[in-house]
Structure formats: C-alpha cells, structure tokens
C-alpha cells in the first residue's frame, strides 16, 4: 500500500521544541558558554577552555562546601526516611482521623521556603525564640548564630520539620496500596509484626521510597533558601552549602566563569547520583 | 484436625447494622465434618469470602459462635487456629526465593530446618515448582505465583482445615484442571478438611463431596452434587446448578391442584404451601420436560444443537421453558404439547421447596 508522505505533523512538535528550548536548552547552553570563556562585560568573550573547571575542582573552597553538602544531605536522609516510614506506619488507615493526620502532615509542605527559614530563625533565637530559650533554660549553651554545631543542628532540624512530611505522605500512599490479602496471608502464615514489615511492607514500599529518596536527595542537595534565611551560611562558612556558595561566587564576586563551571559540575553530580541510585534500586524490577 | 461448627453466625461490615440488607452474612448454621471436601458455591457477593474469613479468624462475626470440635474459638486469633487459607489473587513474598516462600509458614512456627526441607521439597514436587525453588518469587508468572500461594497453604501438615478462596481464577484452563485433580488427590491422601470457595459449579461439583450453596448471605442448601441436582431446596439452587438451570414457572393452587396457565400439573410435592406465601412456583429441570400429546400446548421458540443433545426453548403465555431433547428425537415445529415428569417437579413457595 502506498502511504502519502505528509510532513505536516512536525508542526505539532514545534510548541514543545520551543518550550524546551526556552526553559532548558538555551539557559543551559548559556551556562556552558560562560563556563569555557572569560568575559569583562560588553559581550566580549575570550576562550579559556577547561581552565575554570580545573580551578573549581582544585579549590579548597569547593571541596569544603561539597563535603558540607554531602554531610547535610546524608544526615537529613538518614533521619527523614526512617522517621517518615515510622510516622506513616503509625498513621490510622481508616476512620475520621485519617484526614486530620493528612492535613497536619501536609501543612509544613505548604509553607513558602523563605517563611520556613524566617520562622525557624525566630523560633531558635537564643534570647527571644521559644526553642532557643528553652534549650538554654535546660542549661545547654545554644546559640545558632555563633556556634557551628548549634547552627547545623538547627538547619537539620528545620529540614526534618519541613520535609519529613513528604516521605510520610509518599510512604503512606504506598502502604495504603498494599492489598489486604497480603496482611491476611501473613496472619495465616503466622508472620510476626517484624516479618510483615520486612517481608511485605518494605518491599512493597520500594518504588515510592525510591522516589522519596530521589526527591529528598535532589531537593536537599540543592537547598538554598531556608539556610540562607536561617543562618546566611554562617557562622563563618560552616553552613555554606553548595548553592549558597555558588550564589556568592556568581552574584557576590561576579566570577561568572568559575560559577558556570561549578554549576555544571554540580548539575552533573546530581544527575549521576540520581541515575546510579535509580538503576541500583530498579535492577530487580521487571524480571 | 477438627469438626468445625458455625452457630447462628451473622456478620455485618457496618458498625450499627439495622436492616437485614446490612448483613453480608445473614444467618448461617453449618457443620463441616472432619476430613470432608466441601465446596462453598454461590454468586459473587453472596458472603462466601466473609464466611471463610470468619472461620479463619480474620474476621470476628457480629453475632454467633465458631466452634472447633467443641471449643469456642470465636475470638481466638488466626495464628492459634491452625488454619491454612489460599486467596483468590496470588500473595507471594517478593524478596524471598520460592523455597523460602514455601518454608515461611513452617519457619514462623519454629519447625526444625530438616523437616522444613522435606515438606517444601514434597510440596514443590507436587506443584512442579522444583526447578524454580532457587529463584526470586517476584519474577514468576501469575500461575507460578498462585502455585506458591497454594503451596504455602498445603505445606503445613498440622492444620485443622485448608480453605481455598477461588484459588484457580487466575490460572490457565488446562493447568486449572490438573491442579484441581491434585487438590482432590491430596484430599484423599491426607484426609484434611478442605473448603473450596467458588462461583463455578463445575469446579464445585468436581472437587467436593458436599456442596454448600450460599445465596444472599445465607446457606440455602448443603448436599452432594446429586442431591443438589435432583432435589434443589431453593429456586436459586435449581437455577444456579445445572446447565441450563431449572425452569421456574409461576403457578396457582386451586383446591390443592397445581395449575400452570390453567393446566393441571402433577408434582412430587405432597404438602401445600401455607396461605401467607406471596409467590408460588413450580420447578422442573429441562431434563424432565418432554413432548407429550396429552400435555399442554406451547410454541417452539428456538432449538440449540449442542452436539450430544439439543436444548429446545418453548413458550406458553409469557413464560419460557427449556427442555433437553435427545439428538435423534423428533422435534415438532411450530406448536407442540409438553408435560413435566411428576417425580421431578416440585412446588416452591417464596423460593423454598414444598415437600
């Protein structure tokens, strides 16, 4: 049978191409452009090759903020994921309390990020904040504006408060989708509560938890607003995470070349970690 | 091993059941003898699964008692009842191998590993699972997974009863036949009580010695397949069992004479319904309707040839009657006269048989 060649269908693709070009491709290529050149303004560029990449990769400043970032992301994942699963497990599965719990859980997610930072800033102030004063009243010397440990603790606590809900809601949705037959079969088989968790609930939660961990990894690895409002990256540089450092370099010092190189490295790290993690988690699926 | 009795069991999923419709199981008194092969037969939504879950202890009935031998176990948790149950859809533990899946119910009960091995190998052999014992259960097909579910039900030898809740729904037809024969054979060999829930009459009639027919939350009849065929207690049983089902025709009573559309009909029912019934009918299976020059007049509507016999559908007034006619018998065309075999024709009052 003869088919009429009709290329008009391409017109339908044009809106998507334009959209992707403007929201992803063009901005990204601009960054690539800056990362391999030097500019003194007036749109005059000089070719620099991989100089900025070498500079960033060899700088102690980048190493430090990268390690701080890894430590922070690691800490919040270790706290938020088990805590989220625990809360989801203890939430009621039916009855009038379900909606109450869901709304309570969703609340932190609805608060704008800079408001979260401001709230915790005031909440944790050692002289007037409820949390700060209470801790000091217990005899513990706590001042997040001056002590690195206190600043870290507060930042981590704030993130846990803000984002554990996301893990809870995802895990809860996952738990609700496990058919009753599994629990019934487990009862018939004489499985203990631990076996039910380890053999049924956790394996069935694998997919949603993979998504939850990926989302929390990406979000926390790129965290900016909340610590910027809470500590401004201080005291000193102790809570200067990658994004905060990047903004300092790009907009504080106007070192556009190094900032662009750092952005690309940053982007590739996030992409690589997500890909490796997802591939590992999904390797047994669909066998 | 035990005899299982249900005494006046009722169950509602609502907290405050008011009307009879609120109950999933309306009132069931039943005894399951030790070592029997029972089928629980009924349409979807008639309360079969609820009844099963009450026996296994997954549900506590709203009213009534469950006895194992003579001990009241109504509130005893599932694990202490020594019950095996296989569900309609396969339940496997994804992260475990097939072997570990089959061993799971035994290991949970602290049985020695050597014995666990023996039992698992035996059951795996029976279900043709030996070659995949080392594989992860999550990678298997639907059939394979359901075989694991069946295997976990069969692996324990200390159970009071094994209950199958439509276990072969997801299985291929040819495998279905084999598994059903396996279950039957296993029943003979082990002498365990088995309750097999299904809505498929062929499955029920081939598997069971005793068939329990449920309809709308109540048990309407318990009997052997032959009893259900020959003397249905309820029009539902007559209609549900047999292919095609029983003809149920409205009738009037005139001084003790049964009349269908004005024609007197002789029946096997010697009693007569009480005066407060709202609906009287006669039931006769298509096998017992025949052409008869002295019968009452009908029109022939349609003839279906099924190879070994033919199903003839005839009509009188606004009623349709099905009859089974031998392959070589002559079928008149247009109008004819039929009669019912009196020994196989019964009166039903409000659905229930009058003897």
């Amino acid at each position: 049978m003869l088919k009429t060649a009709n290329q008009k269908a391409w017109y339908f693709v044009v809106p998507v191409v334009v959209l992707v070009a403007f929201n992803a491709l063009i901005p990204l290529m601009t960054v690539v452009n800056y990362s391999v050149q030097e500019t003194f303004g007036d749109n005059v560029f000089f070719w620099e090759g991989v100089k900025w990449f070498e500079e960033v990769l060899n700088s102690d400043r980048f190493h430090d903020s990268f390690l701080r970032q890894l430590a922070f992301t690691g800490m919040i994942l270790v706290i938020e994921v088990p805590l989220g699963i625990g809360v989801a497990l203890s939430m009621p599965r039916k009855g009038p309390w379900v909606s109450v719990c869901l709304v309570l859980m969703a609340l932190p997610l609805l608060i704008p990020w800079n408001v979260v930072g401001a709230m915790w800033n005031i909440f944790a102030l050692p002289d007037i904040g409820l949390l700060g004063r209470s801790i000091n009243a217990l005899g513990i010397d706590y001042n997040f504006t001056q002590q690195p440990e206190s600043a870290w603790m507060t930042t981590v606590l704030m993130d846990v408060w803000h984002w554990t809900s996301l893990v809870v809601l995802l895990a809860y949705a996952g738990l609700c989708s496990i058919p009753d037959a599994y629990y019934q079969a487990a009862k018939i088989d004489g499985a203990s509560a631990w076996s039910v968790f380890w053999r049924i609930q956790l394996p069935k939660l694998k997919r949603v938890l993979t998504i939850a961990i990926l989302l929390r990894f990406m979000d926390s690895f790129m965290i900016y607003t909340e610590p910027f409002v809470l500590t401004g990256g201080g005291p000193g540089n102790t809570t200067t995470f990658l994004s905060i450092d990047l903004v300092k370099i790009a907009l504080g010092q106007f070192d556009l070349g190094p900032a662009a190189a750092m952005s690309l490295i940053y982007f590739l790290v996030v992409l690589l970690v997500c890909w490796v993690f997802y591939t590992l988690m999904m390797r047994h699926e669909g066998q | 091993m035990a005899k299982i009795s249900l005494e006046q069991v009722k169950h509602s999923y609502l907290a405050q059941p008011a009307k009879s419709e609120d109950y999933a199981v309306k009132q069931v008194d039943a005894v399951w003898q030790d070592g029997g092969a029972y089928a629980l037969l009924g349409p979807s939504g008639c309360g079969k699964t609820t009844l099963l879950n009450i026996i296994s202890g997954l549900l506590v009935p709203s009213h009534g008692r469950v006895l194992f031998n003579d001990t009241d176990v109504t509130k005893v948790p599932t694990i202490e009842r020594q019950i095996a149950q296989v569900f309609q859809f396969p339940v496997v533990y994804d992260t475990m191998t097939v072997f570990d899946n089959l061993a799971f119910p035994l290991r949970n009960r602290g049985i020695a590993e050597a014995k666990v091995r023996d039992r698992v190998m035996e059951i795996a052999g029976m279900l043709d699972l030996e070659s995949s014992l080392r594989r992860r259960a999550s990678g298997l097909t639907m059939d394979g997974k359901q075989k694991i579910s069946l295997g976990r039900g069969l692996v324990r030898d200390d159970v009071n009863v094994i209950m199958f809740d439509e276990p072969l729904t997801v299985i291929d037809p040819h495998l279905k036949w084999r598994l059903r024969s396996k279950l039957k054979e296993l029943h003979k060999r082990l002498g365990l009580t088995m309750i097999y829930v299904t809505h498929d009459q062929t499955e029920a009639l081939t598997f069971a010695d005793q068939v329990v027919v449920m309809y709308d939350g109540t048990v309407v009849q318990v009997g052997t397949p032959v009893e259900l065929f020959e003397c249905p207690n309820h029009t539902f049983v007559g209609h549900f069992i047999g292919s095609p089902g029983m003809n149920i025709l409205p009738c009037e009573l005139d001084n003790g004479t049964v009349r269908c559309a004005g024609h007197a009909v002789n029946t096997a029912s010697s009693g007569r319904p009480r005066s407060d019934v709202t609906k009287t009918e006669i039931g006769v299976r298509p096998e017992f309707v025949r052409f008869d020059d002295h019968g009452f007049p009908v029109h022939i509507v349609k003839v279906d040839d099924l190879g070994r016999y033919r199903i003839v559908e005839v009509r009188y007034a606004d009623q349709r009657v099905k009859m089974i006619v031998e392959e070589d018998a002559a079928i008149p065309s247009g109008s004819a006269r039929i009669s019912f075999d009196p020994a196989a024709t019964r009166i039903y009052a409000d659905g229930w048989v009058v003897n």
Side-chain angles (χ1 to χ4, degrees), chain B residues 17-86:
Chain B
K19 335 180 267 301
S20 146
E21 292 88 69
D22 292 347
Y23 285 89
V25 168
K26 284 179 183 153
Q27 164 108 15
V28 170
D29 289 271
V31 175
W32 319 81
Q33 295 296 344
D34 187 14
Y38 290 93
L40 191 53
L41 180 66
S44 302
C46 72
K48 301 181 301 259
T49 301
T50 308
L51 201 64
L52 223 56
N53 289 347
I54 288 172
I55 297 175
S56 61
L58 295 171
L59 278 177
V60 175
S62 324
H63 301 277
R65 300 198 303 161
V66 182
L67 305 177
F68 281 15
N69 287 332
D70 293 312
T71 329
D72 187 341
V73 295
T74 314
K75 296 203 164 63
V76 172
T78 306
I79 180 152
E80 290 164 32
R81 295 198 191 188
Q82 299 295 4
I83 290 235
Q85 189 170 355
V86 179

Side-chain angles (χ1 to χ4, degrees), chain A:
Chain A
M1 194 147 48
L2 278 177
K3 278 186 187 165
T4 322
N6 184 345
Q7 304 292 341
K8 285 191 187 121
W10 289 109
Y11 291 119
F12 288 100
V13 187
V14 169
V16 172
V17 171
V18 171
L19 195 74
V20 171
F22 273 92
N23 79 13
L25 232 52
I26 294 174
L28 188 68
M29 289 321 289
T30 315
V31 175
V32 171
N33 195 29
Y34 276 105
S35 74
V36 290
Q37 303 190 74
E38 171 76 285
T39 177
F40 300 106
D42 286 342
N43 257 346
V44 184
F45 287 93
F46 304 92
W47 176 255
E48 291 285 9
V50 293
K51 182 179 154 196
W52 303 132
F53 287 93
E54 282 171 353
E55 197 179 298
V56 169
L57 286 173
N58 289 322
S59 91
D60 289 340
R61 179 174 169 180
F62 178 73
H63 294 165
D64 288 348
S65 47
F66 189 75
L67 285 179
R68 272 196 291 274
Q69 187 66 68
L70 277 184
F72 177 76
T73 296
M75 275 165 91
I76 65 105
L77 283 179
V78 165
I79 297 171
E80 286 175 16
V81 174
L83 184 65
I85 297 172
V87 173
L89 281 172
S90 53
M91 271 166 65
R93 227 53 71 70
K94 51 182 171 225
W97 289 102
V98 171
S99 24
V100 176
C101 288
L102 287 178
V103 169
L104 281 178
M105 279 297 136
L107 269 182
L109 300 175
L110 301 176
I111 300 174
W113 298 4
N114 52 350
V115 176
V116 172
M119 269 167 53
W120 277 80
N121 187 316
I122 298 166
F123 184 45
L125 279 177
D127 44 0
I128 57 163
L130 182 63
L131 178 71
R133 275 199 81 146
S134 307
I135 294 177
N136 280 300
L138 291 174
I140 301 164
D141 183 24
Y142 166 89
N143 185 343
F144 76 92
T145 60
Q146 284 166 19
Q147 301 152 340
E149 305 80 33
S150 304
W152 265 79
M153 192 206 87
T154 317
T155 317
V156 168
L157 202 62
M158 173 181 66
D159 198 82
V160 168
W161 178 84
H162 194 182
W163 288 112
T164 304
S165 299
L166 181 74
V167 183
V168 171
L169 292 179
L170 285 170
Y172 183 75
L175 282 173
C176 288
S177 71
I178 301 176
D180 264 352
Y182 280 86
Y183 296 110
Q184 294 178 336
K187 270 194 198 163
I188 301 275
D189 290 339
S192 60
W194 170 251
S195 295
V196 170
F197 174 69
W198 189 245
R199 297 299 187 181
I200 297 174
Q201 290 172 323
L202 205 56
K204 295 274 164 210
L205 286 182
K206 192 173 130 189
R207 281 160 176 275
V208 281
L209 285 181
T210 303
I211 297 298
I213 292 172
L214 277 180
L215 285 175
R216 283 317 299 131
F217 165 76
M218 287 189 282
D219 269 356
S220 68
F221 209 75
M222 299 185 286
I223 194 168
Y224 176 77
T225 316
E226 299 133 290
F228 181 76
V229 177
L230 181 72
T231 63
N237 272 333
T238 47
T239 55
T240 302
F241 302 121
L242 275 179
S243 287
I244 298 180
D245 205 22
L246 181 63
V247 171
K248 278 185 184 166
I249 294 171
L251 302 180
Q253 304 162 209
F254 266 102
D255 283 335
L256 295 183
M262 185 172 160
S263 304
L264 287 177
I265 294 166
Y266 196 174
F267 171 57
L268 289 177
V269 167
V270 173
L271 207 62
L272 183 74
V273 171
C274 288
W275 179 73
V276 168
F277 178 73
Y278 190 79
T279 310
L280 283 180
M281 289 309 284
M282 291 298 145
R283 110 199 99 138
H284 286 303
E285 298 287 319
Q287 260 180 14

